[in-house]
Amino acid sequence: MNNDYNSLFYHALLDAIQASVLVVDDKLRIQSANRNFLEKGRRSASNTLGRPLAEVIPRVILENTDIEGRIQDVAKSGVPLHGQRMTYRAPGIPMRIYYYSLQPIKVAGHRPQIMILLEDITEQVRLSEEVRRVERHLASVVNSANDMVLSIDIEGRILTWNLAAEQLTGFSFFSVKNTQFLERCAETHQPDVRKMLAEMLTEDSSRTAEWPLIKTNGSSILVSWVLSPMKDDHGKTIGVVAVGRDLTEQKKMELQLRQSQKLAALGVMAGGIAHEIRNPLAVCSSAAQFLLEDNLEETFRKECAHKICVGIQRTSAIIENLLRFARPSTKTDMAEVALVEVIYQTLTLIENESRLKKITVNKQFDGKEIMVRGEPTLLQQVFMNLFLNAINAMPNGGELTIRVYHSDTEVFVEVSDTGIGIPSNMLERIFDPFHTTSVVGEGTGLGLSICYSIVRQHLGSIDVDSSPDWGSRFTIRLPKL
């Protein structure tokens, strides 16, 4: 009874094992086989038990794995063998992949036996290969991207660095791996980089920034970055993924567009500026003719000399303002700017144009100088475009009002006119490139688009209200220093 119970328990235990189990003796004859092995091999116990291992497992597999020799070695040494791989295909079923282990069994009074434990890893291998295929595909996508793609750990060290980053900077991945990302950025921007990377570790949202990246030759390229937090399986931020785009060509194009718009604005003002310069020159010419005469009273001579000096200074100031406005800006870094002073300088350029068009200019400033962070020539171009647009909107004269006021954090500049207004169906599109309400040949459609771009570059915004009944009002908001 005891022997029967032990036998039943032994076979029940083997059948409960999820892996395939064979027990063979030192002559390589099968003594036991569990249900898992019989079902996967599509065999019965009667044509399996007592048979040589070579009749159950194909000879080609036995030769490739040398499992017979290893079984005999384990039987002699008594030392188990673990973690060997075997590919097995039974008739009529797909190929299966196993890890097998050999465990010696010694029972007193009996010949040595070896238990073969085969664990089916076919699905794990398939999933592993699929994961590797996906990883290779993702790596190929990242390396094929024209934009720089890199990942940074929580300590700011570079983990990955794609081919585009290598080509744009000249640094290979192996030369930057595990180095600080800060070291790749221009020194003046490193505090901003350090601050944003620290903030990314506690935030879930993506961030954008523009930071120059240093090349191997020591020069730098301006890069637009999109930074996103990198999460682990538990949702914890373990780093940052940064995608960067070289802005060199874009900035060059923007500069060309801005310069073309400046030239267009100068063309509009050319007639008025010529008249503005001609007046002081005429005074200088008359005064100089008087000075050529003999017996000129000393008082009158001094008066003529004074008028010549004043006329030259006035003409020089007009020319200097024109040159300052017309020449391309070589500065890219922001600095402290006296906003009202920039507006006054721009108003001097349109002074004669507004007078010829019978336009009254109202200036509503609070008398206190307001400082912002920006680039003076770019801000001047914004105001110039808005002033000229307002003048063109009042062909029969009117009022141009410039109002400057501020809150604790922002500065507001309102440019209002009493012109013809903007149709309501066009208000949403006026900041689009090449959208214009001017007749052909009188406008490029770039002015307001460039204004929008420059204001955004200064971290501000620009809005418009308009009605045919009262005209238009553009409001610029800029961060206050």
Side-chain angles (χ1 to χ4, degrees), residues 344 361-367 401-405 412 414:
Y344 271 120
V361 178
N362 298 320
K363 297 182 282 289
Q364 298 179 5
F365 306 150
D366 61 6
T401 302
I402 300 97
R403 181 182 175 220
V404 180
Y405 59 100
F412 301 83
E414 289 184 359

Side-chain angles (χ1 to χ4, degrees), residues 161-341:
W161 181 267
N162 73 337
L163 185 60
E166 291 185 351
Q167 293 173 343
L168 286 171
T169 65
F171 289 105
S172 68
F173 169 61
F174 295 104
S175 67
V176 301
K177 184 179 179 181
N178 292 326
T179 63
Q180 288 290 324
F181 176 67
L182 277 174
E183 299 174 1
R184 307 299 153 195
C185 300
E187 187 174 353
T188 54
H189 288 74
Q190 288 183 8
D192 294 336
V193 177
R194 183 182 293 106
K195 179 182 177 182
M196 184 170 290
L197 290 181
E199 292 172 349
M200 291 292 297
L201 299 180
T202 58
E203 297 180 359
D204 291 331
S205 58
S206 297
R207 304 285 292 273
T208 59
E210 289 186 5
W211 299 324
L213 207 60
I214 304 300
K215 301 173 66 174
T216 52
N217 60 7
S219 63
S220 64
I221 53 174
L222 184 61
V223 178
S224 173
W225 295 99
V226 178
L227 299 100
S228 304
M230 183 168 54
K231 306 283 188 177
D232 62 10
D233 294 339
H234 304 289
K236 181 181 178 182
T237 300
I238 57 174
V240 174
V241 176
V243 179
R245 173 165 295 180
D246 181 7
L247 295 180
T248 305
E249 292 302 320
Q250 179 181 330
K251 292 297 181 181
K252 191 182 297 183
M253 180 64 71
E254 288 179 359
L255 181 61
Q256 292 173 349
L257 288 176
R258 289 170 183 167
Q259 190 62 16
S260 68
Q261 186 63 25
K262 283 183 181 181
L263 295 176
L266 288 173
V268 172
M269 295 186 299
I273 293 295
H275 181 74
E276 188 72 10
I277 293 176
R278 188 180 293 116
N279 284 341
L281 288 180
V283 173
C284 290
S285 177
S286 299
Q289 290 177 21
F290 282 118
L291 289 176
L292 291 175
E293 296 180 3
D294 297 329
N295 302 322
L296 197 66
E297 293 183 5
E298 183 64 18
T299 303
F300 187 61
R301 184 185 65 78
K302 289 182 178 181
E303 183 180 348
C304 290
H306 176 71
K307 288 185 178 296
I308 291 174
C309 290
V310 171
I312 291 174
Q313 290 172 357
R314 184 178 177 187
T315 304
S316 178
I318 294 170
I319 294 173
E320 182 60 31
N321 281 338
L322 280 173
L323 290 176
R324 189 185 301 114
F325 177 73
R327 69 169 62 99
S329 175
T330 57
K331 296 181 180 180
T332 57
D333 293 335
M334 300 290 185
E336 289 190 8
V337 177
L339 187 63
V340 174
E341 182 180 341

Side-chain angles (χ1 to χ4, degrees), residues 412-423:
F412 301 83
V413 180
E414 289 184 359
V415 179
S416 307
D417 64 65
T418 57
I420 57 176
I422 303 170

Side-chain angles (χ1 to χ4, degrees), residues 382 385-386 389 422 426-437 445-456 461-465 473-476:
V382 172
N385 284 332
L386 294 180
N389 284 347
I422 303 170
M426 293 186 180
L427 280 176
E428 293 182 357
R429 299 168 50 205
I430 61 170
F431 295 112
D432 294 345
F434 301 105
H435 176 75
T436 178
T437 57
L446 290 172
L448 289 178
S449 172
I450 290 174
C451 288
Y452 179 84
S453 174
I454 293 174
V455 172
R456 292 286 294 175
S461 63
I462 179 170
D463 301 304
V464 59
D465 293 314
R473 179 176 61 248
F474 287 83
T475 305
I476 299 172

Side-chain angles (χ1 to χ4, degrees), residues 46-230:
S46 60
N47 69 355
T48 302
L49 301 181
R51 294 179 179 275
L53 188 65
E55 291 184 10
V56 177
I57 297 178
R59 171 57 59 182
V60 63
I61 294 178
L62 297 178
E63 291 174 351
N64 289 337
T65 60
D66 192 27
I67 190 172
E68 292 176 310
R70 293 177 177 176
I71 291 173
Q72 292 173 341
D73 290 341
V74 171
K76 290 178 182 178
S77 66
V79 178
L81 179 69
H82 300 290
Q84 303 298 313
R85 183 165 168 167
M86 179 177 73
T87 303
Y88 177 74
R89 185 192 296 274
I93 64 173
M95 180 182 69
R96 310 298 296 180
I97 302 171
Y98 293 87
Y99 266 132
Y100 72 90
S101 301
L102 305 178
Q103 182 69 39
I105 303 175
K106 292 184 179 181
V107 180
H110 293 273
R111 302 181 63 165
Q113 295 183 337
I114 308 298
M115 181 168 62
I116 307 173
L117 183 67
L118 299 100
E119 186 176 1
D120 190 346
I121 60 168
T122 307
E123 189 63 19
Q124 291 93 317
V125 171
R126 186 191 68 79
L127 290 175
S128 177
E129 291 176 349
E130 180 67 17
V131 168
R132 285 196 294 272
R133 186 192 69 79
V134 172
E135 288 177 344
R136 288 194 299 269
H137 177 71
L138 289 176
S140 176
V141 169
V142 170
N143 265 332
S144 300
N146 290 327
D147 293 339
M148 291 180 283
V149 182
L150 52 142
S151 58
I152 307 163
D153 67 12
I154 57 175
E155 301 296 333
R157 293 185 295 260
I158 296 173
L159 301 176
T160 59
W161 181 267
N162 73 337
L163 185 60
E166 291 185 351
Q167 293 173 343
L168 286 171
T169 65
F171 289 105
S172 68
F173 169 61
F174 295 104
S175 67
V176 301
K177 184 179 179 181
N178 292 326
T179 63
Q180 288 290 324
F181 176 67
L182 277 174
E183 299 174 1
R184 307 299 153 195
C185 300
E187 187 174 353
T188 54
H189 288 74
Q190 288 183 8
D192 294 336
V193 177
R194 183 182 293 106
K195 179 182 177 182
M196 184 170 290
L197 290 181
E199 292 172 349
M200 291 292 297
L201 299 180
T202 58
E203 297 180 359
D204 291 331
S205 58
S206 297
R207 304 285 292 273
T208 59
E210 289 186 5
W211 299 324
L213 207 60
I214 304 300
K215 301 173 66 174
T216 52
N217 60 7
S219 63
S220 64
I221 53 174
L222 184 61
V223 178
S224 173
W225 295 99
V226 178
L227 299 100
S228 304
M230 183 168 54

